[in-house]
Amino acid sequence: MFRNFKTVSNVIFGRGCFEQLSGILNAQRKSADGFMAFLVDDVFEENPLKERISLESGDLLIWVNVDHEPTTRYVDDLTHQIKEKDGTPDGVIGIGGGSTMDLAKAVSLMLTNPGSSVDYQGWDLIKNQGVYHVGIPTLSGTGAEVSRTAVLSGPEKKLGLNSDYTLFDQMVLDPELTAGAPKDQHFHTGMDCYIHCVESLTGTYLNAFSQVHGEKAIELCREVFLNGGPDSDDKLMMASYMGGMSIAYSQVGICHALSYGLAFVRGIHHGIGNCLAFDGLEEYYPEGVREFHQMMEKHGIRLSRDGLANVSSEEVEKMVDVALMLDPLWENALGVDWKEKMPREKVRGLYEDILSRG
Ligand code: NAD
Ligand code: ZN
């Protein structure tokens, strides 16, 4: 059975295209007393970008904080805040990195689906179409702008709201918006894309659709992180998009499974968590890890180990539990007999290796 997957219907790309946002949104306004809800990363609260967000009267601007990756509780609180005070908006616009875009996707869905976002962590559990929603990345790499998931940490697990309804209706890809990102963050999020490509291209789920997107994306990552150049921001934005399209029809692998465990138990952010995990996976991704080390060296990156001190054996067990919940990732990496190849103690060994480095 082939998956008939949905893609984002409208895409605008180019330096300065953010200026066209108000026209795009005006076409979606349903009535004179309707409003749009903007969820914007609070890193921009004191940034000139703030003045460029064209609010109409009645529009709501909420500064979101992503010091911690999005939780189901935060999504429920934001949804409540919008609904109780102002009703249902004509649109939700997320401006920020993967975390902010995921918040916007999840809030758009929770405005039209009853209960808590916890109830929808999983695959195709969303029943009703969300409010029109727009993704505007300010970091490149996660592919959240094209994916059918909004990744959330809940009380039990870190798992996305995966559905066709989750996809943005519109994305605005303006490479100028990523220009001010700190060097380390730019690298970690960029490596998310690079690792998406390595895991997709070496996986057992690979097909021609994933391959063409993954090969182009990894080539762009190499240009950006090994050669550099004036149009690197444009290239990395397109790499993120193509890498996201590649995994949409295949899967990620071992590195992502391990990174989810680090995130759930110790709140390690996705980009750095991936880098910490990938750093020691030569056995599984020899060429990818070698090239990753070259990129680190070229950019003078030292991986931060903040948040990884004194991890107890109970915490390691929980990390293993979280990683092993992600069957498709392991199957993509190792094949249908992955459980024989990767028994629990081997996964524990991979975590012990990550924790012992540094
Ligand atoms: P992020 O959104 O978590 O942001 C990281 C940091 O960078 C934050 O402090 C943020 O304030 C700051 N930041 C963002 N843009 C900036 C800019 N232009 N200038 C300066 N600072 C900026 O980072 P991310 O790596 O883009 O996203 C990671 C998140 O994405 C995780 O929550 C992860 O679970 C999620 N994710 C989602 C998908 C998906 O398909 N939905 C895929 C991969 C990752
Ligand atoms: Zn990722």
Side-chain angles (χ1 to χ4, degrees):
M1 184 75 171
F2 296 98
R3 267 195 301 136
N4 180 15
F5 81 90
K6 199 168 176 288
T7 55
V8 176
S9 46
N10 282 75
V11 185
I12 181 167
F13 172 85
R15 289 179 168 264
C17 73
F18 183 69
E19 297 306 320
Q20 286 177 237
L21 179 63
S22 69
I24 291 169
L25 296 181
N26 285 344
Q28 300 296 330
R29 293 182 189 270
K30 293 188 185 129
S31 65
D33 54 357
F35 70 100
M36 294 282 169
F38 291 78
L39 305 187
V40 187
D41 189 322
D42 66 6
V43 78
F44 296 110
E45 217 168 340
E46 306 300 329
N47 182 289
L49 179 70
K50 180 182 173 181
E51 312 306 326
R52 296 175 55 207
I53 304 173
S54 51
L55 301 176
E56 300 286 325
S57 97
D59 284 353
L60 194 61
L61 188 154
I62 302 176
W63 297 108
V64 295
N65 185 275
V66 297
D67 289 348
H68 301 288
E69 291 190 344
T71 60
T72 48
R73 171 180 278 195
Y74 195 26
V75 167
D76 292 350
D77 287 350
L78 287 167
T79 308
H80 191 255
Q81 183 186 338
I82 297 172
K83 230 178 178 169
E84 292 305 300
K85 201 164 145 269
D86 301 273
T88 304
D90 290 338
V92 176
I93 300 98
I95 306 178
S99 296
T100 306
M101 288 193 280
D102 280 354
L103 283 172
K105 289 180 183 180
V107 167
S108 139
L109 296 171
M110 294 316 300
L111 284 163
T112 56
N113 286 274
S116 161
S117 51
V118 177
D119 307 335
Y120 302 99
Q121 281 184 288
W123 281 271
D124 302 305
L125 303 173
I126 298 281
K127 298 284 178 299
N128 305 317
Q129 179 156 13
V131 166
Y132 169 83
H133 50 303
V134 181
I136 309 182
T138 64
L139 283 172
S140 293
T142 64
E145 62 279 16
V146 283
S147 74
R148 76 191 293 276
T149 186
V151 183
L152 303 179
S153 287
E156 301 290 330
K157 53 199 171 210
K158 179 175 177 182
L159 185 60
L161 314 185
N162 295 269
S163 81
D164 279 352
Y165 299 125
T166 311
L167 281 142
F168 284 117
D169 298 291
Q170 167 82 54
M171 56 178 138
V172 176
L173 303 180
D174 183 343
E176 283 180 356
L177 301 184
T178 64
K183 182 182 115 179
D184 280 16
Q185 186 63 58
H186 173 262
F187 186 82
H188 298 152
T189 306
M191 285 303 107
D192 190 18
C193 175
Y194 178 74
I195 297 167
H196 290 162
C197 297
V198 172
E199 294 193 311
S200 174
L201 290 169
T202 58
T204 61
Y205 289 2
L206 190 66
N207 53 56
F209 184 99
S210 290
Q211 190 171 356
V212 293
H213 288 93
E215 282 175 351
K216 188 67 206 175
I218 204 165
E219 183 189 314
L220 290 166
C221 287
R222 287 180 181 133
E223 285 176 31
V224 170
F225 289 106
L226 293 175
N227 304 328
D231 49 359
S232 285
D233 289 339
D234 304 53
K235 287 179 179 166
L236 192 56
M237 192 158 258
M238 284 317 299
S240 177
Y241 172 92
M242 303 282 282
M245 290 297 281
S246 179
I247 52 175
Y249 223 167
S250 60
Q251 233 332 327
V252 286
I254 299 175
C255 176
H256 272 74
L258 297 175
S259 177
Y260 268 55
L262 295 173
F264 186 81
V265 177
R266 282 297 180 104
I268 306 296
H269 279 230
H270 187 73
I272 178 77
N274 282 349
C275 289
L276 288 164
F278 200 59
D279 197 29
L281 288 176
E282 294 93 340
E283 186 184 340
Y284 303 94
Y285 305 109
E287 281 175 36
V289 174
R290 188 180 44 77
E291 196 165 57
F292 166 71
H293 287 150
Q294 279 171 14
M295 291 173 177
M296 270 178 58
E297 200 177 308
K298 171 135 179 108
H299 292 270
I301 300 290
R302 275 202 75 236
L303 299 179
S304 158
R305 308 186 59 79
D306 288 354
L308 284 186
N310 306 319
V311 176
S312 68
S313 54
E314 290 77 26
E315 286 178 298
V316 174
E317 291 309 317
K318 186 66 197 168
M319 288 177 184
V320 176
D321 289 342
V322 173
L324 283 175
M325 266 181 223
L326 301 163
D327 293 43
L329 282 65
W330 296 101
E331 185 178 296
N332 177 44
L334 300 170
V336 282
D337 56 347
W338 69 268
K339 288 188 179 159
E340 281 124 62
K341 292 183 182 152
M342 189 56 74
R344 190 177 174 88
E345 54 274 20
K346 215 162 169 184
V347 180
R348 187 185 303 120
L350 292 174
Y351 275 117
E352 281 163 358
D353 177 51
I354 295 170
L355 297 170
S356 68
R357 265 180 277 127

